[in-house]
mmCIF file of all heavy atoms in Angstrom:
data_model
loop_
_atom_site.group_PDB
_atom_site.id
_atom_site.type_symbol
_atom_site.label_atom_id
_atom_site.label_comp_id
_atom_site.label_asym_id
_atom_site.label_seq_id
_atom_site.Cartn_x
_atom_site.Cartn_y
_atom_site.Cartn_z
ATOM 1 N N GLY A 280 31.902 165.719 54.092
ATOM 2 C CA GLY A 280 31.167 166.481 55.095
ATOM 3 C C GLY A 280 32.023 167.553 55.729
ATOM 4 O O GLY A 280 31.594 168.709 55.892
ATOM 5 N N ALA A 281 33.267 167.188 56.088
ATOM 6 C CA ALA A 281 34.172 168.152 56.714
ATOM 7 C C ALA A 281 34.580 169.258 55.740
ATOM 8 O O ALA A 281 34.581 170.451 56.090
ATOM 9 C CB ALA A 281 35.414 167.431 57.242
ATOM 10 N N ILE A 282 34.907 168.887 54.498
ATOM 11 C CA ILE A 282 35.378 169.873 53.522
ATOM 12 C C ILE A 282 34.262 170.837 53.115
ATOM 13 O O ILE A 282 34.456 172.057 53.076
ATOM 14 C CB ILE A 282 35.952 169.168 52.272
ATOM 15 C CG1 ILE A 282 37.243 168.439 52.639
ATOM 16 C CG2 ILE A 282 36.214 170.171 51.160
ATOM 17 C CD1 ILE A 282 37.892 167.723 51.480
ATOM 18 N N ILE A 283 33.088 170.289 52.800
ATOM 19 C CA ILE A 283 31.979 171.142 52.368
ATOM 20 C C ILE A 283 31.542 172.074 53.499
ATOM 21 O O ILE A 283 31.287 173.266 53.289
ATOM 22 C CB ILE A 283 30.799 170.280 51.887
ATOM 23 C CG1 ILE A 283 31.186 169.567 50.580
ATOM 24 C CG2 ILE A 283 29.552 171.133 51.657
ATOM 25 C CD1 ILE A 283 30.160 168.575 50.094
ATOM 26 N N GLY A 284 31.478 171.540 54.719
ATOM 27 C CA GLY A 284 31.096 172.374 55.851
ATOM 28 C C GLY A 284 32.102 173.474 56.133
ATOM 29 O O GLY A 284 31.745 174.585 56.556
ATOM 30 N N LEU A 285 33.371 173.198 55.855
ATOM 31 C CA LEU A 285 34.435 174.159 56.172
ATOM 32 C C LEU A 285 34.600 175.223 55.093
ATOM 33 O O LEU A 285 34.763 176.412 55.395
ATOM 34 C CB LEU A 285 35.756 173.407 56.372
ATOM 35 C CG LEU A 285 36.959 174.220 56.865
ATOM 36 C CD1 LEU A 285 36.654 174.853 58.214
ATOM 37 C CD2 LEU A 285 38.187 173.324 56.973
ATOM 38 N N TYR A 286 34.555 174.815 53.821
ATOM 39 C CA TYR A 286 34.892 175.737 52.737
ATOM 40 C C TYR A 286 33.690 176.240 51.937
ATOM 41 O O TYR A 286 33.755 177.329 51.357
ATOM 42 C CB TYR A 286 35.883 175.066 51.768
ATOM 43 C CG TYR A 286 37.228 174.801 52.401
ATOM 44 C CD1 TYR A 286 37.581 173.528 52.835
ATOM 45 C CD2 TYR A 286 38.152 175.830 52.584
ATOM 46 C CE1 TYR A 286 38.811 173.271 53.425
ATOM 47 C CE2 TYR A 286 39.384 175.594 53.173
ATOM 48 C CZ TYR A 286 39.707 174.309 53.592
ATOM 49 O OH TYR A 286 40.917 174.072 54.173
ATOM 50 N N PHE A 287 32.607 175.452 51.877
ATOM 51 C CA PHE A 287 31.489 175.843 51.033
ATOM 52 C C PHE A 287 30.267 176.307 51.819
ATOM 53 O O PHE A 287 29.439 177.051 51.300
ATOM 54 C CB PHE A 287 31.096 174.675 50.109
ATOM 55 C CG PHE A 287 32.138 174.352 49.083
ATOM 56 C CD1 PHE A 287 33.110 173.397 49.342
ATOM 57 C CD2 PHE A 287 32.173 175.014 47.874
ATOM 58 C CE1 PHE A 287 34.090 173.107 48.407
ATOM 59 C CE2 PHE A 287 33.144 174.733 46.924
ATOM 60 C CZ PHE A 287 34.106 173.779 47.192
ATOM 61 N N LEU A 288 30.148 175.856 53.050
ATOM 62 C CA LEU A 288 29.024 176.278 53.891
ATOM 63 C C LEU A 288 29.533 176.804 55.231
ATOM 64 O O LEU A 288 29.117 176.338 56.295
ATOM 65 C CB LEU A 288 28.060 175.106 54.123
ATOM 66 C CG LEU A 288 27.414 174.504 52.864
ATOM 67 C CD1 LEU A 288 26.648 173.242 53.218
ATOM 68 C CD2 LEU A 288 26.513 175.521 52.175
ATOM 69 N N PRO A 289 30.440 177.768 55.197
ATOM 70 C CA PRO A 289 30.991 178.273 56.455
ATOM 71 C C PRO A 289 29.958 179.059 57.255
ATOM 72 O O PRO A 289 29.206 179.853 56.701
ATOM 73 C CB PRO A 289 32.140 179.188 55.998
ATOM 74 C CG PRO A 289 31.715 179.647 54.641
ATOM 75 C CD PRO A 289 30.956 178.500 54.027
ATOM 76 N N SER A 290 29.942 178.810 58.534
ATOM 77 C CA SER A 290 29.025 179.538 59.408
ATOM 78 C C SER A 290 29.717 180.781 59.948
ATOM 79 O O SER A 290 30.902 180.742 60.289
ATOM 80 C CB SER A 290 28.586 178.634 60.568
ATOM 81 O OG SER A 290 27.895 179.378 61.543
ATOM 82 N N PRO A 291 29.003 181.904 60.034
ATOM 83 C CA PRO A 291 29.608 183.112 60.602
ATOM 84 C C PRO A 291 29.988 182.936 62.070
ATOM 85 O O PRO A 291 30.796 183.693 62.607
ATOM 86 C CB PRO A 291 28.511 184.175 60.434
ATOM 87 C CG PRO A 291 27.239 183.397 60.288
ATOM 88 C CD PRO A 291 27.620 182.131 59.597
ATOM 89 N N ASN A 292 29.393 181.919 62.707
ATOM 90 C CA ASN A 292 29.700 181.662 64.114
ATOM 91 C C ASN A 292 30.917 180.753 64.300
ATOM 92 O O ASN A 292 31.331 180.504 65.426
ATOM 93 C CB ASN A 292 28.484 181.011 64.799
ATOM 94 C CG ASN A 292 27.271 181.926 64.792
ATOM 95 O OD1 ASN A 292 27.406 183.135 64.923
ATOM 96 N ND2 ASN A 292 26.086 181.344 64.609
ATOM 97 N N ASN A 293 31.457 180.240 63.177
ATOM 98 C CA ASN A 293 32.608 179.354 63.279
ATOM 99 C C ASN A 293 33.826 180.100 63.809
ATOM 100 O O ASN A 293 34.193 181.157 63.307
ATOM 101 C CB ASN A 293 32.933 178.748 61.909
ATOM 102 C CG ASN A 293 32.098 177.519 61.621
ATOM 103 O OD1 ASN A 293 31.214 177.179 62.395
ATOM 104 N ND2 ASN A 293 32.372 176.860 60.517
ATOM 105 N N THR A 294 34.477 179.536 64.804
ATOM 106 C CA THR A 294 35.714 180.101 65.322
ATOM 107 C C THR A 294 36.893 179.380 64.680
ATOM 108 O O THR A 294 36.733 178.388 63.983
ATOM 109 C CB THR A 294 35.764 179.927 66.853
ATOM 110 O OG1 THR A 294 35.753 178.519 67.152
ATOM 111 C CG2 THR A 294 34.564 180.590 67.506
ATOM 112 N N HIS A 295 38.095 179.933 64.941
ATOM 113 C CA HIS A 295 39.302 179.278 64.428
ATOM 114 C C HIS A 295 39.416 177.859 64.985
ATOM 115 O O HIS A 295 39.855 176.944 64.280
ATOM 116 C CB HIS A 295 40.535 180.102 64.798
ATOM 117 C CG HIS A 295 40.617 181.430 64.106
ATOM 118 N ND1 HIS A 295 40.478 181.560 62.740
ATOM 119 C CD2 HIS A 295 40.831 182.690 64.587
ATOM 120 C CE1 HIS A 295 40.599 182.829 62.398
ATOM 121 N NE2 HIS A 295 40.810 183.535 63.504
ATOM 122 N N ASP A 296 39.027 177.681 66.235
ATOM 123 C CA ASP A 296 39.130 176.355 66.855
ATOM 124 C C ASP A 296 38.248 175.337 66.137
ATOM 125 O O ASP A 296 38.663 174.198 65.890
ATOM 126 C CB ASP A 296 38.741 176.427 68.329
ATOM 127 C CG ASP A 296 39.741 177.232 69.154
ATOM 128 O OD1 ASP A 296 40.762 177.663 68.575
ATOM 129 O OD2 ASP A 296 39.503 177.437 70.358
ATOM 130 N N LYS A 297 37.016 175.741 65.792
ATOM 131 C CA LYS A 297 36.114 174.839 65.081
ATOM 132 C C LYS A 297 36.645 174.499 63.700
ATOM 133 O O LYS A 297 36.538 173.354 63.235
ATOM 134 C CB LYS A 297 34.720 175.467 64.972
ATOM 135 C CG LYS A 297 33.969 175.566 66.295
ATOM 136 C CD LYS A 297 32.591 176.171 66.096
ATOM 137 C CE LYS A 297 31.836 176.261 67.415
ATOM 138 N NZ LYS A 297 30.488 176.881 67.236
ATOM 139 N N ASN A 298 37.237 175.483 63.029
ATOM 140 C CA ASN A 298 37.819 175.230 61.706
ATOM 141 C C ASN A 298 38.982 174.259 61.792
ATOM 142 O O ASN A 298 39.150 173.396 60.918
ATOM 143 C CB ASN A 298 38.280 176.546 61.083
ATOM 144 C CG ASN A 298 37.123 177.453 60.706
ATOM 145 O OD1 ASN A 298 35.990 176.986 60.546
ATOM 146 N ND2 ASN A 298 37.393 178.737 60.563
ATOM 147 N N ILE A 299 39.781 174.382 62.825
ATOM 148 C CA ILE A 299 40.919 173.485 63.005
ATOM 149 C C ILE A 299 40.437 172.061 63.260
ATOM 150 O O ILE A 299 40.978 171.090 62.706
ATOM 151 C CB ILE A 299 41.812 173.982 64.161
ATOM 152 C CG1 ILE A 299 42.555 175.260 63.750
ATOM 153 C CG2 ILE A 299 42.817 172.904 64.568
ATOM 154 C CD1 ILE A 299 43.347 175.899 64.858
ATOM 155 N N ILE A 300 39.410 171.920 64.086
ATOM 156 C CA ILE A 300 38.864 170.585 64.369
ATOM 157 C C ILE A 300 38.307 169.948 63.095
ATOM 158 O O ILE A 300 38.536 168.762 62.821
ATOM 159 C CB ILE A 300 37.774 170.673 65.452
ATOM 160 C CG1 ILE A 300 38.397 171.078 66.793
ATOM 161 C CG2 ILE A 300 37.034 169.342 65.594
ATOM 162 C CD1 ILE A 300 37.395 171.384 67.877
ATOM 163 N N ALA A 301 37.599 170.752 62.282
ATOM 164 C CA ALA A 301 37.074 170.233 61.019
ATOM 165 C C ALA A 301 38.201 169.824 60.080
ATOM 166 O O ALA A 301 38.117 168.797 59.394
ATOM 167 C CB ALA A 301 36.190 171.285 60.350
ATOM 168 N N SER A 302 39.278 170.604 60.066
ATOM 169 C CA SER A 302 40.429 170.268 59.219
ATOM 170 C C SER A 302 41.095 168.983 59.678
ATOM 171 O O SER A 302 41.550 168.176 58.858
ATOM 172 C CB SER A 302 41.445 171.416 59.233
ATOM 173 O OG SER A 302 40.886 172.595 58.695
ATOM 174 N N LEU A 303 41.159 168.784 60.989
ATOM 175 C CA LEU A 303 41.752 167.550 61.518
ATOM 176 C C LEU A 303 40.957 166.320 61.074
ATOM 177 O O LEU A 303 41.535 165.244 60.868
ATOM 178 C CB LEU A 303 41.807 167.602 63.043
ATOM 179 C CG LEU A 303 42.884 168.494 63.668
ATOM 180 C CD1 LEU A 303 42.677 168.598 65.181
ATOM 181 C CD2 LEU A 303 44.278 167.952 63.364
ATOM 182 N N MET A 304 39.652 166.473 60.904
ATOM 183 C CA MET A 304 38.817 165.348 60.520
ATOM 184 C C MET A 304 39.222 164.783 59.170
ATOM 185 O O MET A 304 39.307 163.570 58.989
ATOM 186 C CB MET A 304 37.341 165.766 60.496
ATOM 187 C CG MET A 304 36.759 166.058 61.867
ATOM 188 S SD MET A 304 36.845 164.631 62.987
ATOM 189 C CE MET A 304 35.726 163.514 62.157
ATOM 190 N N TYR A 305 39.471 165.660 58.195
ATOM 191 C CA TYR A 305 39.776 165.139 56.853
ATOM 192 C C TYR A 305 41.270 165.068 56.537
ATOM 193 O O TYR A 305 41.661 164.428 55.562
ATOM 194 C CB TYR A 305 39.032 165.933 55.767
ATOM 195 C CG TYR A 305 39.527 167.333 55.498
ATOM 196 C CD1 TYR A 305 40.517 167.569 54.559
ATOM 197 C CD2 TYR A 305 38.978 168.427 56.156
ATOM 198 C CE1 TYR A 305 40.954 168.852 54.298
ATOM 199 C CE2 TYR A 305 39.411 169.716 55.899
ATOM 200 C CZ TYR A 305 40.398 169.919 54.959
ATOM 201 O OH TYR A 305 40.837 171.197 54.700
ATOM 202 N N THR A 306 42.120 165.703 57.356
ATOM 203 C CA THR A 306 43.559 165.604 57.112
ATOM 204 C C THR A 306 44.238 164.529 57.951
ATOM 205 O O THR A 306 45.275 163.995 57.550
ATOM 206 C CB THR A 306 44.261 166.944 57.399
ATOM 207 O OG1 THR A 306 44.030 167.320 58.761
ATOM 208 C CG2 THR A 306 43.755 168.043 56.477
ATOM 209 N N VAL A 307 43.679 164.219 59.122
ATOM 210 C CA VAL A 307 44.308 163.262 60.029
ATOM 211 C C VAL A 307 43.433 162.028 60.257
ATOM 212 O O VAL A 307 43.891 160.892 60.110
ATOM 213 C CB VAL A 307 44.630 163.931 61.392
ATOM 214 C CG1 VAL A 307 45.296 162.928 62.322
ATOM 215 C CG2 VAL A 307 45.536 165.147 61.195
ATOM 216 N N VAL A 308 42.166 162.261 60.595
ATOM 217 C CA VAL A 308 41.293 161.148 60.989
ATOM 218 C C VAL A 308 40.931 160.249 59.810
ATOM 219 O O VAL A 308 41.072 159.028 59.873
ATOM 220 C CB VAL A 308 40.010 161.685 61.672
ATOM 221 C CG1 VAL A 308 39.079 160.531 62.020
ATOM 222 C CG2 VAL A 308 40.374 162.469 62.926
ATOM 223 N N THR A 309 40.458 160.854 58.711
ATOM 224 C CA THR A 309 40.030 160.049 57.561
ATOM 225 C C THR A 309 41.142 159.189 56.976
ATOM 226 O O THR A 309 40.938 157.988 56.750
ATOM 227 C CB THR A 309 39.427 160.954 56.466
ATOM 228 O OG1 THR A 309 38.343 161.708 57.017
ATOM 229 C CG2 THR A 309 38.922 160.131 55.302
#
Protein backbone atom coordinates (compact mmCIF):
# COMPACT_ATOMS: atom_id res chain seq x y z
CA GLY A 1 0.00 0.00 0.00
CA ALA A 2 2.77 2.44 0.93
CA ILE A 3 4.97 1.63 -2.09
CA ILE A 4 2.21 1.67 -4.71
CA GLY A 5 0.73 4.88 -3.31
CA LEU A 6 4.15 6.55 -3.27
CA TYR A 7 5.67 5.44 -6.58
CA PHE A 8 2.84 4.26 -8.84
CA LEU A 9 -0.13 6.39 -7.82
CA PRO A 10 1.47 9.66 -6.73
CA SER A 11 -0.90 12.50 -6.04
CA PRO A 12 -0.04 15.98 -7.35
CA ASN A 13 -1.03 17.25 -3.91
CA ASN A 14 1.56 15.09 -2.16
CA THR A 15 4.17 17.13 -0.31
CA HIS A 16 7.68 16.05 0.64
CA ASP A 17 6.44 15.50 4.19
CA LYS A 18 3.73 13.07 3.05
CA ASN A 19 6.24 11.17 0.91
CA ILE A 20 8.60 10.86 3.86
CA ILE A 21 5.82 9.54 6.10
CA ALA A 22 4.85 6.97 3.45
CA SER A 23 8.50 5.92 3.13
CA LEU A 24 8.76 5.49 6.90
CA MET A 25 5.83 3.07 6.77
CA TYR A 26 7.59 0.50 4.60
CA THR A 27 11.22 1.17 5.58
CA VAL A 28 10.85 1.40 9.37
CA VAL A 29 7.38 0.36 10.54
CA THR A 30 6.81 -2.80 8.47
